[in-house]
């Protein structure tokens, strides 16, 4: 009996520990040995030699990556050669570095831009070769990472013809990281930037961060919080920033900083920060010069001004354009850019939804050419679902950047599995009709609609110093998706999820399809159990953890949940039609027509634009109240289904990450029920209608849910 | 040419990554395969079978540990057996669980206590066996970890005769961790306690934390900061504490909490926290009952009262004994204990050195039997070197616990390599003469001098959520040393350092002796470049990072460096003789006689007790000023020697940790020079004497050093 138990124990443990443990640190760059013998053998045959001339800081990193990847995937590092002496030669280079590529002169090279790459199967000197070529070393970097992705996902590499360039110029992470290492809206530990030990201590994480970003095409990072601290611009800190820039440079990643508008006063000793004041302009010019002396390829500034208490040009009765252009002038000499955030809303707003449009559209055309306006995907603030921001169709003379939030401030924070690619795609594919049908948000962002070469997509980072970077193993997928979609927004959520799963967990087809199914439904599930039918911003005050639709205690109306749902005895929802705030008028007619009639408006946006009676008949034939109940219960059921599906995947995943996800899904189910019950019990006080008896009724009272407090909720 | 470079590159990389990388997470429980073939073969022969009957939560953990260890060290898990059928049988059990041990009845079992263990080589049924026995499952746990340490350090296990019991009953870590996860004086990230995700999410770290502690004999942990928050005592948080207790229980680790003295007011709704108030006493009794209902083996409370702004009994004109005894009464029913901290000093103190003695000695004998007074090793506050606290020789009727600080608040914080075992040993070995010669601090702490069974040693944790737990790879050694010395304070620093190095880095003899040499000299080096000759507390205000001997701006005199060194034109040092504060009178005459004469007082304590003229002739024949210069320069030279020694060890250490330590030593050298120059330039303004010309002169001015600011220094 003991023996049996013990042997079982032995099995369990060797499974649980050693071989099968994975702490998630390696992200999607695991390079574990390819288990499928045939595939491994084939790759070994197809990659017998490496012809990789040239050398530069970037090329050395690419060679290092190849060595690590081949050693991991195939059991041995690549064998260098100077000639094509056999089939299965991998050739990597630019026409400048590799004669053979110059002679080959693939016409495809003319189809790519400076960051693009070409991967071809070709016959050279009678031998079958795989050729990764590009115009620049950075293109080589991206091409090699793409090729390694093919190997990691076990694709057929026998006849490759890949021509790829990024559709967006600046593909950025925005870190809301403070100098004391707290991270605003961070749920994965503290900042990975250990400012105190910089510049002398280079954490291995900085290098692995650069590798991970380069592997998905991210080419810039804003190191500091948009709620900025001027200290980052002091000489003491700029040398620290320079040390990070030195680590990132070979990986094609530029550093950006957030500029505190009042820095000339706080660290410059000036009396004003007026953007039209000559001394202020001179101070910034000098500061920018100081930065470029240390960091020749510094990217520029991201600036949050006159928003949520941040100082800005309006403090001096100047416009956002006045402010942005001051920085633009200082940066222009060095090809630096200004990312000016459009996230503004003043306290005396009629409808917060309309504010950014009202403040910025009058300024269209007034910004210098190296200024790009960074706009959140929706008009409010990273809600589970929002209609696209009307600014995207309204500023033809101004380059617009997309700001998504990877960190899940309003999407379950650290404990909910939510794959955001479908959310990103929904925004990209939305049609603004700015220049007629097909003027999608993507076509605005990529510059094609209004002919801009300055383009950018930013994701607010979900990275912290947790061992696995993002706390929730599946949160890594949102970082991954941002990079992949910024490179090519036409990639499908399915392809992104599947290649991420294959690299991060397993190539097992059953696992991948089951886990993809989980990811695919996760966003809609969250929308349903948190804010269905176009509800928004009913999270708890401040930390935004959990439901608080009753919230009505904050000084500013537009900080209170009741402002957003406007539930009353008559119904629920925010009337933004002509009979209400008329925010719909900020969209082109083709768009507003879609949403202006509560009988034709899509369910998912209904309460964004209409105050609808509890008895309103929905498409489904149900009353609004019953539809609301249906959605909330469906949301919970979806998470339970996801939980059950995950529990069937234990044998495909290492014990460590399987248990992490399992525990987190258990929490997500609990919290989904909490969201459903608290929200419906509260809204019921207005609808006076019963939760249909077929549903499991709430087991706690509204008073109980109102009594919950979370004094130390993270990220606040 | 390319090929050559590339091959070199390949070598470097496969070395740097894959095989040889070690992120330090596994601490001293790495269980890597034993490389020495002979040793591995011998162990395999000596450990052919495992006879390990019995089952309990603890036993299952021990079996799991054995499986992981054997699989790692020897390549395969142990083979279970029910009989001794071969030589090389490892038998583990208690007389209760293993008949064979009951029959064997080793007399050694009678020599151990309930946590102790016996490891013997014995002939059983004609076969050579190794027997690990104990009276309890916890003894089995400790015995097994001891045995695994023998294997990891590749000791001869052919003729073992080990009988071991801990000399101290409570061997504790104190976490100064706040509920928002910041760690007071923490330099290794944030708290590993993720309160927000508890109780539903059990981080693997909690389990590995318990394993690491059990492996060195630590049997209790105080989860929360001594600057306490009453919220931890709320029902919402107690279930989180219970979840951690459930993880730790099988590993023999009890949880303790810090009790905020004013909790009855803050969360109890009472008007007072007066310890003699019946309602207050009832509230605590009820609270304690609530805790034990959730955590039947709860350890008790650690309390900081009437110190640095913390509330306490004196707020109600009661004594520390009144306060401690109130908790003691509530806990007694459940065998819980009170750890009452003696770290007190009021703002109108004449000499902070004397305070704890003045407040507590009058209370000797007034504390209930389940109260132990927790005393910092020195009279001030964890300085690089202090004389032992006079309390250790002055309270014969009160059990005294030792409080050491593992986190290096005053010892270089996150970046200095300082092995603290020599510091701990210096304190343990100091003779209080309380009951004549030989009444060492160790003999006070272990209860033998005054006959107490309630004994404790606590280390203020240096653990955070950094991947390698303690930030500096060598800081792990201080956690390790605390556990080992709390079990047996007679262990030498050498043995502790060597076994830690063997388990954590390598068994290579050259490496171990060289790295031990680094560790051995590290503490004295730090004392010399920071606070030689008995200087103390001249660190920067608040964050205590870097030198600030000129500090004189804080409201309380005893918070200012100038209060401690008292440098003036006449000399330097704090006169604590009869002509001064007479703090020396708090020691037994045999002790004070050693230190009361500036001509005979040991150099290392000189400025602790004497204000000495700059011209004072030291033992060395040098003037005090020249001796001070000599010590500061010697300190820096020692660190440079350490740095050079480490640089010779690259081939013995994985690249990841080698680089970490190398970078940190570079910082340590820089900061040692900073300490030396800033301190000497400042003291020179009083001595008016030159830094001897043979020394490299400071390259910066005193004004420069005074101008340095570190607004975001960690741990503050």
């Amino acid at each position: 009996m003991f023996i049996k138990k013990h042997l079982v124990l032995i099995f369990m443990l060797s499974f649980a520990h050693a071989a099968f443990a994975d702490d998630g640190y390696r992200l999607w760059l695991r390079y574990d040995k390819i288990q499928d013998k045939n595939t491994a053998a084939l790759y070994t045959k197809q990659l017998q030699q490496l012809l990789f001339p040239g050398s530069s800081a970037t090329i050395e990193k690419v060679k290092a990556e190849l060595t690590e990847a081949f050693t991991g995937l195939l059991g041995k590092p690549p064998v260098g050669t100077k000639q094509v002496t056999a089939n299965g030669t991998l050739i990597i280079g630019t026409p400048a570095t590799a004669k053979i590529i110059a002679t080959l002169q693939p016409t495809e090279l003319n189809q790519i831009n400076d960051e693009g790459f070409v991967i071809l199967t070709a016959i050279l000197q009678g031998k079958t070769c795989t050729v990764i070529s590009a115009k620049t070393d950075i293109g080589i970097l991206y091409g090699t990472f793409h090729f390694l992705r093919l190997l990691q996902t076990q694709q057929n590499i026998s006849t490759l013809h890949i021509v790829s360039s990024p559709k967006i110029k600046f593909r950025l992470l925005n870190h809301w990281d403070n100098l004391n290492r707290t991270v605003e809206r961070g749920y994965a530990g503290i900042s990975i930037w250990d400012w105190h030990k910089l510049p002398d201590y280079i954490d291995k994480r900085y290098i692995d961060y650069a590798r991970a970003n380069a592997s998905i095409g991210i080419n810039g990072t804003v190191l500091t919080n948009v709620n900025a601290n001027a200290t980052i611009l002091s000489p003491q800190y700029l040398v620290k920033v320079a040390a990070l820039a030195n680590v990132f440079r070979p990986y094609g990643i530029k550093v950006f900083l957030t500029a505190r508008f009042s820095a000339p006063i706080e660290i410059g000793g000036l009396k004003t920060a007026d953007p039209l004041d000559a001394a202020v302009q001179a101070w910034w010019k000098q500061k920018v010069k100081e930065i470029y002396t240390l960091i020749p390829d510094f990217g520029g500034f991201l600036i949050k001004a006159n928003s949520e208490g941040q100082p800005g040009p309006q403090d001096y009765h100047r416009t956002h354009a006045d402010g942005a252009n001051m920085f633009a002038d200082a940066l222009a000499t060095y090809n630096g850019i200004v990312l000016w955030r459009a996230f503004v809303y003043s306290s005396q707003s009629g409808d917060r939804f309309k504010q950014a449009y009202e403040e910025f559209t009058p300024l269209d055309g007034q910004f210098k050419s190296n200024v790009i306006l960074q706009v959140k995907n929706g008009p409010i603030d990273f809600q589970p679902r929002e209609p696209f921001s009307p600014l995207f169709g309204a500023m033809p003379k101004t380059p617009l950047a997309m700001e998504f939030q990877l960190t899940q401030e309003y999407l379950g924070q650290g404990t909910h599995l939510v794959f955001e690619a479908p959310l990103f795609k929904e925004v990209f594919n939305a049609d603004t009709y700015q220049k007629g049908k097909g003027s999608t948000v993507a076509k605005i962002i990529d510059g094609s609609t209004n002919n801009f070469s300055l383009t950018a997509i930013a994701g607010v980072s979900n990275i912290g110093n947790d061992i696995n970077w993002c706390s929730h193993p599946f949160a890594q997928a949102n970082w991954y998706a941002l990079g992949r979609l910024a490179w090519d927004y036409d990639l499908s959520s399915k392809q992104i999820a599947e290649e991420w799963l294959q690299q991060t967990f397993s190539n097992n087809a059953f696992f991948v399809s089951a886990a993809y199914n989980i990811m695919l439904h996760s966003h809609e599930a969250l929308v349903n159990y948190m804010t269905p039918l176009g509800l928004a911003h009913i999270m708890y005050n401040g930390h935004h953890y959990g439901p608080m639709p009753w919230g009505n205690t904050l000084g500013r109306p537009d900080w209170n949940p009741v402002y957003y749902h406007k539930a009353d005895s008559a119904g629920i929802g925010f009337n933004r039609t002509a009979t209400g705030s008329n925010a719909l008028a900020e969209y082109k007619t083709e768009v507003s027509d879609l949403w202006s009639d509560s009988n034709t408006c899509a369910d998912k946006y209904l309460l964004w634009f209409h105050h609808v009676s509890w008895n309103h008949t929905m498409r489904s034939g149900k009353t609004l109240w019953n539809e609301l109940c249906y959605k909330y219960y469906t949301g919970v059921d979806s998470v339970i289904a996801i939980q059950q599906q995950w529990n069937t995947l234990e044998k495909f995943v290492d014990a460590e990450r399987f248990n992490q996800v399992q525990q987190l899904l258990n929490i997500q189910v609990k919290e989904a029920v909490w969201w459903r019950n608290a929200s419906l019990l509260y809204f019921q006080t207005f609808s006076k209608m019963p939760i249909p008896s077929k549903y499991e009724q709430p087991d706690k009272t509204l008073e109980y849910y109102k009594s919950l407090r979370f004094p130390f909720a993270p990220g606040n």
Side-chain angles (χ1 to χ4, degrees), chain A residues 304-516:
Chain A
K304 175 179 182 178
N306 294 120
S307 172
E308 298 179 329
Q310 290 297 303
Q314 295 173 345
D315 304 348
Y316 306 95
H317 312 294
R318 312 300 186 188
T319 69
H320 284 289
D322 295 329
N325 292 340
M326 170 185 66
F327 291 101
D329 287 336
L331 289 161
T333 333
Y334 312 93
N335 303 312
I337 66 166
V338 178
L339 296 142
W340 192 269
R341 291 180 89 231
F343 179 65
V344 297
Y345 58 106
S346 62
S347 47
Q348 58 286 70
S349 140
D351 179 359
R352 173 173 167 179
F353 186 116
K354 296 165 64 179
Q355 290 258 324
Y357 180 100
E358 289 167 348
E359 279 196 38
F360 282 94
T361 51
L363 302 175
D364 191 27
Q366 295 182 28
F367 293 94
K368 297 285 174 95
S369 62
N370 58 332
V371 176
I372 183 165
L373 201 61
Q374 185 166 307
V375 183
K376 290 184 180 184
N377 59 280
I380 301 296
D381 190 12
F382 300 133
Q383 294 305 296
R385 171 171 281 132
E386 300 192 34
F388 69 87
S389 165
L391 277 174
F392 289 118
M395 297 190 70
K397 305 203 193 85
T398 309
L400 301 180
M402 171 64 68
E403 179 176 311
F404 287 124
Q405 191 179 45
L406 307 180
T407 191
Q408 296 169 231
E409 177 179 0
Y410 298 98
L411 274 67
Q413 304 194 348
T415 52
H416 293 214
L417 190 165
V418 180
F419 181 49
E420 297 185 41
L423 182 162
F424 302 159
K425 297 280 292 183
E426 186 172 292
V427 177
F428 283 133
N429 295 337
D431 199 337
T432 70
Y433 287 89
Q434 185 183 52
K435 297 208 168 155
K437 192 160 176 38
S439 310
T440 61
V441 170
K443 299 288 184 197
I444 304 293
I445 298 303
D446 73 5
S448 60
T449 304
N450 301 304
N451 248 311
F452 293 117
S453 59
L454 175 54
T455 58
I457 290 178
V460 178
S461 161
N462 60 356
I463 296 165
N465 77 327
D466 277 358
I467 291 176
N468 72 354
W469 302 82
C470 301
S471 187
H472 198 308
F474 276 80
Q476 296 177 357
N478 294 329
W479 175 10
Y480 185 87
L482 188 279
R484 297 287 285 140
L485 286 171
W487 184 279
D488 180 3
Y489 51 70
D490 286 329
L491 289 172
S492 68
S493 296
K494 185 170 195 292
Q495 177 176 341
I496 293 167
E498 288 180 345
E499 66 182 38
W500 176 78
L501 285 164
Q502 290 172 306
Q503 296 171 90
T504 306
F505 284 102
S506 163
N507 275 284
N508 177 283
F510 180 89
F511 168 80
V512 170
S513 67
Y516 163 65

Side-chain angles (χ1 to χ4, degrees), chain A residues 629 632-633 636-637 640 669 672-674 676-677 680-681 691-700 705:
Chain A
C629 294
Y632 269 112
Y633 276 85
V636 170
D637 293 345
I640 291 169
V669 168
V673 170
W674 169 29
R676 178 195 72 195
N677 292 354
L680 286 176
L681 287 172
I691 294 169
S693 57
K694 63 181 173 191
Y695 298 127
E696 171 198 40
Q697 299 294 303
D699 59 348
K700 300 224 168 48
Y705 291 116

Side-chain angles (χ1 to χ4, degrees), chain A residues 50-54 59 62-63 66 81 90-93 97 140 144:
Chain A
L50 173 64
L51 174 54
F52 193 173
I59 293 301
V62 176
K63 289 175 178 173
L66 279 166
T81 181
L90 176 62
I91 304 171
I92 307 179
T97 61
I140 290 299
T144 302

